[in-house]
Amino acid sequence: MQRGMRTLVVSDGLVFVKGKDDLKALYSALSKSLGKLDFVNWTGLPPQFNDYDVIVLDTCHLSPSTSVWRTTGVYEPTAWRVIEEFTKNFPDLVKQQTVTVIITNLASEENKTLYNFFNDNALPLVNQYPPAKQFTISPHFGLVRDYFDQVEECKTKLAKGFILDEANLPYINMSGIKRLVEPLAVMTKSNEIISGAIDLGNSYLVFLPGIKAKSSMEEKLLALTKIGGIAAHYFKKGASEPEVVPEGADWVENYFPKDKEYDEQILTLKEKKARLGQFKPLLYGTGGSLEKSVAAVFDQWGCDVKETPSGHSIDLKAGTADGKKLAIEVTSAKKNLRKGSGKNLQLPQYFLNEKQDDEKLILIANTYREVDPSEREEEHFSPNILKVMTPMGVCVLTSYDLYRLWRRTEKKLSSADAIIRSLIKCDGLYEYKYRE
């Protein structure tokens, strides 16, 4: 616990734990973890948020949509007042003091998603999708590991469409300033971020997934003690970087005219690095990360790209500026792509049952995905694969070749239109003709 830390927990059902004899030991542990501790119900009067160093918002029992909540009136209007008071004061709260805000969900029986407190312009929607149960904790942040012992599955993710690697961390927009999301935990297979911390200057906004459904009161309090360690870490981190300019001394900036210019340059470089990072999975990716990278290439080439629903025989559909239609299947393999792979049998199925007359089929495979591209074997597609794909007019190429084509457009050595035309004209194996 950070010395002198004061914590507010907004959560229905936990208000009376302090007085229960059977919970005294856990409450004592909470006090050691979270410092001076106050509980308030969502249906109570809005608290004075600026009185606290740590604010834990337990979203259990809250609707995932404030607009639905507001228009249907299903929930107590006083609960909306608490939300409204928090969101209204949030920008000034994080500017005026060091505060750590943690949003989580303590054992909701029905809705295990995080509550979207902020509007779409302030924070991207936290999306729902089929639950996953395999998580990877960021290696530099072991504090989260204990908390995840109580997490069984997660249906939420942050910053849809971003891929986790050093060069491509997602950004959000908070009060007009873009902030980095520090990943604390990701889905093991997809690398989608499910837990993250957002640096707001001296303050932090931390998202944690909900713990398992129907947890007992003891389990909820245990989760809170584990949250305490995370909160103390970020509160200490924020407090160690105090604002050095005293209130009313705005004139200081006049003596450092380059500061704003440098900040803008740093932000621009970070954005460029993040943009380039989304193409990295073309070399190593599989599943959703690879599909997103392929989509990003065609999007940059001016195509209107849409992901198909999960389970569809085609991964992406794209329309070119001149009206051409592309149906793109994306896959990967540890070695070359051979007949018998369940994934590549979907294209013939699409060809027979769904293909439109004016639609070009493209198969993109990240073959030898664990090998440096300069050391990969020459045969990426077996003769049997090409024997099936060529008569159907499928353009077959590796994601490494797609990467090289993308690099040519980045360097303005080839136009996107010319490359797309070459893909449309190709039936069978695409031959990369350019010299590096």
Side-chain angles (χ1 to χ4, degrees), residues 406-425:
W406 165 74
R407 288 288 295 170
R408 289 191 65 80
T409 58
E410 280 284 291
K411 296 177 181 180
K412 302 189 184 306
L413 299 174
S414 298
S415 71
D417 288 343
I419 288 175
I420 291 174
R421 285 197 301 270
S422 72
L423 295 175
I424 291 175
K425 289 179 180 179

Side-chain angles (χ1 to χ4, degrees), residues 298-310:
F298 283 91
D299 180 71
Q300 183 169 311
W301 287 348
C303 295
D304 179 20
V305 186
K306 291 183 174 59
E307 295 182 22
T308 60
S310 178

Side-chain angles (χ1 to χ4, degrees), residues 345-362:
L345 291 178
Q346 295 183 24
L347 260 177
Q349 178 184 346
Y350 183 84
F351 177 81
L352 292 173
N353 300 322
E354 300 179 56
K355 180 184 179 297
Q356 302 177 32
D357 292 338
D358 57 349
E359 197 170 43
K360 179 65 180 181
L361 301 184
I362 300 175

